[in-house]
Amino acid sequence: MGKWGRSGQGKSIVKDISERGFVRVGDVYFPPSSKEAMASLSTKKTRGKIVRTGWIDDSRNIKNKEKYNDPFINLVKTELSHVLWPEFFFSIDRLYRFDYAIPELKIGIEVNGGVWAKGNSGHSSGKGIMRDYEKSNLAQALGWKVLTVVPAQIKNYEALKLLRNLI
């Protein structure tokens, strides 16, 4: 037997941890939320090429994380000690993204505004509701837990309480 035991066992381990979002730095794999993984991803050069993986190494997610910073992101970091990623693309099959996500726990947060709006707008139209169902079903099929809230729940700390219970 070789260094990794049975033939191919090492490759399957590497494949498994890569699919779970572990990031290779040199010859070592680090959990996605570790400082080593974050540092390597933020310095990764793509020469203008967009990397689409639906995970933390997705260049769209890295760009959004650098671009957006709001009180809810800071609150979750302070109160729950988790990094919240804004506008997180969770799949390469569709251009769906969560308003916020904690990728290492596979938790997505959807903030649905306009639910009380009159007429057919956003999440309250038949087409919008069907799109939300499709997005939620895809996320669940990929192993994500999805928390759906309205903006008022973000402002009155109810979303933080729900997220704490989900974690």
Side-chain angles (χ1 to χ4, degrees):
M1 275 197 252
K3 179 179 177 182
W4 293 99
R6 290 182 290 157
S7 176
Q9 187 177 9
K11 288 181 182 178
S12 68
I13 291 170
V14 168
K15 181 181 178 203
D16 178 56
I17 64 174
S18 296
E19 287 174 354
R20 290 188 294 147
F22 280 65
V23 178
R24 183 177 177 178
V25 179
D27 290 334
V28 180
Y29 284 86
F30 291 95
S33 60
S34 70
K35 63 182 179 185
E36 294 87 357
M38 297 292 185
S40 78
L41 293 174
S42 64
T43 59
K44 195 182 232 181
K45 300 290 183 208
T46 60
R47 295 186 205 157
K49 185 178 179 184
I50 296 175
V51 177
R52 289 188 171 99
T53 62
W55 197 244
I56 62 170
D57 59 344
D58 190 311
S59 57
R60 300 167 299 174
N61 291 332
I62 294 168
K63 180 181 173 187
N64 288 341
K65 188 168 189 290
E66 293 169 352
K67 182 178 175 183
Y68 297 104
N69 190 16
D70 63 41
F72 187 62
I73 292 171
N74 296 327
L75 182 67
V76 169
K77 185 175 184 179
T78 303
E79 295 290 322
L80 303 178
S81 301
H82 284 286
V83 175
L84 204 59
W85 291 63
E87 298 294 324
F88 189 85
F89 288 89
F90 65 90
S91 169
I92 56 173
D93 299 330
R94 299 288 306 263
L95 290 178
Y96 289 143
R97 60 186 175 211
F98 295 124
D99 293 318
Y100 300 101
I102 303 175
E104 69 269 13
L105 300 178
K106 281 201 146 184
I107 295 175
I109 303 167
E110 281 296 296
V111 182
N112 288 340
V115 293
W116 303 110
K118 294 187 188 248
N120 286 334
S121 64
H123 304 285
S124 63
S125 69
K127 186 176 181 180
I129 291 168
M130 293 303 294
R131 187 175 46 246
D132 285 348
Y133 288 165
E134 184 179 337
K135 178 180 178 179
S136 179
N137 289 337
L138 175 61
Q140 290 178 52
L142 294 173
W144 287 84
K145 297 174 192 168
V146 182
L147 179 64
T148 305
V149 297
V150 295
Q153 291 174 297
I154 295 280
K155 294 174 184 168
N156 70 12
Y157 294 90
E158 190 176 338
L160 183 70
K161 292 174 191 172
L162 293 168
L163 186 55
R164 181 178 280 126
N165 291 336
L166 193 57
I167 291 172

